[in-house]
Amino acid sequence: MRGAFLSGAFMVANLQTNTNRVKADKVVSSTCPYCGVGCTLQLHVKDDFIFKVTSPFDSPVNQGNLCVKGRFGYDFIYHPKRVTTPLARRYLLEGKPKPQGREQVFAVSTDGKPIPDSQISNDWDWVETDWETAMNLVADNLVRIYKRDGSDAMAVYCCAKATNEDNYLLQKMYRALFRTNNVDHCTRLCHAGSVVALQQAVGSSAMSNTASQVIMNDVFIVTGSNTSENHPIIALQMKEAVQKYGAKCIVVDPRRIDLVDFSEMWLPLKPGTNVPVFSAMAHVIVKENLVNWEFVKNRTEGFNEFVESLEKFTPEYAQEISGVPAEDIRK
Ligand code: SF4
């Protein structure tokens, strides 16, 4: 471990020494494209080349910190295979009908043998074009399909990398123009579990706090997340809250994740047994009258039914299912 740390430190020091000698032509503010923490980046550019990435210390989310992805992971920008202009199939650009058969890369004859290049139509080729041509092609074809097959033929899948405003416009276009509710988003897939739970528990499926508020918590319960790997800067804030401000961290996860080293307790439950463990915790909270009644009175509904549903979830019952000792659940 020590060796790995030292070699990493050497690399950073070496890079900083070199990059600090270079004066940037411009510094461009941006947002890290990698994870949902959304750290602020400052891209230092010289001769159209990003030679250094920093972050301002007054950035509310990451306060100048960046993980290895945000700090160094930008070489993809200069990859020779990166697509930098719109591409369209040749037959679309030339206004030809869709060619029969499969595209060139998969072309095989009826006996399953590859067809020599010279015999294959190049109508499937991807050809570089300008944005206006590409947008017109897309718009014309969407309208053509809608007129031919109606609303049920239309669907859109929005992108988590796009802004809220872009996603709003896209769903609006499909609902208002193409009269369809076939609108989906990759966030629904990634967060299907948490969306349903948050919606039912707190009435909104959005994140309940901002990333910059993480450090203000007194207690963290980490479950189903390897925060240090998935959202490193959030994990950094959690570690700071524990080490500087005395917050308590409890990890409920089968894996011995990095945050366990910063935790008061680690409950290594069997995979898929989270519900009995959390229900048993709620059972103890009710039985030992640790409930925040003020909160329950003002902010909840159906509390009595919830309490009834907890009856069988004693810590011993949860221990049997999850393997987590009953006395740890009681703590
Ligand atoms: S935590 Fe790392 S990957 Fe995520 S936004 Fe910040 S720098 Fe990027």
Side-chain angles (χ1 to χ4, degrees), residues 31-41 61-62 65-71 227 229-235:
T31 307
C32 178
Y34 284 108
C35 88
V37 180
C39 296
T40 306
L41 302 181
V61 175
N62 53 312
N65 296 307
L66 292 171
C67 77
V68 67
K69 292 177 278 184
R71 181 83 67 185
T227 321
E229 288 191 1
N230 299 338
H231 301 101
I233 296 300
I234 298 270

Side-chain angles (χ1 to χ4, degrees), residues 10 17 26 35 43 55 148 166 188 245 250 309 315 322 329:
F10 173 74
T17 311
K26 58 181 173 182
C35 88
L43 309 171
S55 182
R148 189 189 64 198
D166 285 342
R188 190 191 57 78
Y245 306 115
I250 299 160
S309 76
S322 67
I329 294 174

Side-chain angles (χ1 to χ4, degrees), residues 133-196:
T133 308
M135 296 299 266
N136 283 338
L137 270 176
V138 172
D140 289 349
N141 276 292
L142 284 176
V143 171
R144 181 179 60 77
I145 294 167
Y146 175 61
K147 283 187 174 163
R148 189 189 64 198
D149 299 322
S151 301
D152 285 348
M154 311 304 288
V156 64
Y157 198 74
C158 307
C159 170
K161 294 281 182 194
T163 62
N164 284 344
E165 289 77 7
D166 285 342
N167 278 314
Y168 176 81
L169 284 175
L170 202 55
Q171 64 83 29
K172 193 76 178 168
M173 180 172 117
Y174 271 71
R175 290 202 162 105
L177 209 62
F178 296 132
R179 312 256 162 215
T180 180
N181 281 327
N182 294 336
V183 176
D184 208 347
H185 191 278
C186 62
T187 313
R188 190 191 57 78
L189 275 186
C190 308
H191 299 286
S194 61
V195 163
V196 172

Side-chain angles (χ1 to χ4, degrees), residues 12 38 55 109-111 114-115 141 145-146 168 199-201 218 228 232 248 296 306-307 320:
V12 173
S55 182
S109 63
T110 43
D111 61 4
I115 298 173
N141 276 292
I145 294 167
Y146 175 61
Y168 176 81
Q199 187 71 39
Q200 288 184 359
D218 297 327
S228 310
K248 289 188 177 20
V296 168
F306 174 61
V307 170
E320 216 170 284

